[in-house]
Amino acid sequence: MHPSEALNTKQPATGLHPARFLLMLMMVSVFMIFAAYTSAYIVRRNEGNWLEFSLPAGFLITTFIIALSSGTMQWAWLAARKDNLAQVRLALSITLALGVAFLIGQWVMWGQLVDQRIFFAGVDANPSGSFLYVLTGVHGFHLITGLIFLLVVLRKSFQYQVHSRQMLSIGNVTIYWHFLGALWLYLYLFLLLNH
């Protein structure tokens, strides 16, 4: 083998595709952001002037929706491994719809918080409500990025670029989507235990 050919066959030092490595770095960064927010939440709560209130019950419904979407995302990935493009497209479309439903549900929950006079800012605001809006809002923002990623992979599936020999994009979006679901579960449990 020629030395130049040997150079071309070397894998990255991490053993990961660069896109997968960047995804992992991004997820670690996002997790660190939420770890900082939840730590700040605990510190601020212990300082006093903290309004105790019940979480809207609808958060349980949105938790169920995002858990279900994780299942449909896994279905899409498994279908891609079997080269079943019809199922890939269907499962990705359902995941997309469930992601939108989750965001709509979160918006409705914000409305219920306002009805309870729990505000993000202003003279009637309390840090407990502000933290809740920030935690759910920043998660919602990342879920929107996940929906954009899903749309890109769905478009690729219609261009026959998602199948058993091209699993990188659907693999990445599956990992990211499961991460967002796990992150929401962490936030929901954290909020339940601290309210």
Side-chain angles (χ1 to χ4, degrees):
M1 180 184 289
H2 193 272
S4 65
E5 290 177 326
L7 287 174
N8 291 335
T9 60
K10 284 188 178 179
Q11 290 291 320
T14 61
L16 293 173
H17 188 280
R20 178 71 49 87
F21 183 67
L22 285 174
L23 175 67
M24 296 298 178
L25 283 179
M26 185 186 76
M27 290 190 310
V28 168
S29 300
V30 170
F31 179 76
M32 289 174 69
I33 289 168
F34 279 96
Y37 282 154
T38 51
S39 297
Y41 181 105
I42 292 168
V43 170
R44 179 59 188 85
R45 182 178 187 214
N46 291 334
E47 290 177 358
N49 184 29
W50 190 264
L51 177 67
E52 298 291 343
F53 61 92
S54 297
L55 288 177
F59 277 130
L60 181 59
I61 296 169
T62 57
T63 302
F64 175 75
I65 289 170
I66 203 163
L68 186 60
S69 76
S70 220
T72 58
M73 188 69 246
Q74 190 65 29
W75 171 29
W77 183 82
L78 291 169
R81 284 190 63 189
K82 296 175 183 174
D83 293 321
N84 190 334
L85 287 184
Q87 282 192 16
V88 170
R89 293 169 188 149
L90 177 61
L92 287 175
S93 298
I94 293 171
T95 305
L96 192 67
L98 289 170
V100 170
F102 174 85
L103 287 175
I104 291 169
Q106 298 295 82
W107 183 262
V108 170
M109 293 308 96
W110 279 8
Q112 289 185 11
L113 288 169
V114 170
D115 290 344
Q116 292 179 45
R117 301 198 52 75
I118 308 296
F119 301 108
F120 171 68
V123 291
D124 293 330
N126 184 275
S128 62
S130 300
F131 266 104
L132 181 59
Y133 284 106
V134 168
L135 289 169
T136 57
V138 174
H139 180 268
F141 167 78
H142 286 95
L143 199 98
I144 290 169
T145 66
L147 289 173
I148 293 167
F149 196 179
L150 265 173
L151 279 171
V152 169
V153 175
L154 182 59
R155 180 185 55 82
K156 284 185 172 188
S157 75
F158 280 99
Q159 296 171 341
Y160 302 98
Q161 295 176 350
V162 176
H163 49 76
S164 61
R165 292 180 309 281
Q166 288 189 339
M167 292 292 293
L168 181 66
S169 63
I170 196 165
N172 282 348
V173 77
T174 301
I175 290 168
Y176 188 52
W177 198 260
H178 289 329
F179 168 74
L180 292 173
L183 184 60
W184 173 253
L185 188 59
Y186 161 72
L187 288 175
Y188 179 63
L189 292 174
F190 173 84
L191 292 167
L192 271 183
L193 293 172
N194 289 284
H195 263 273

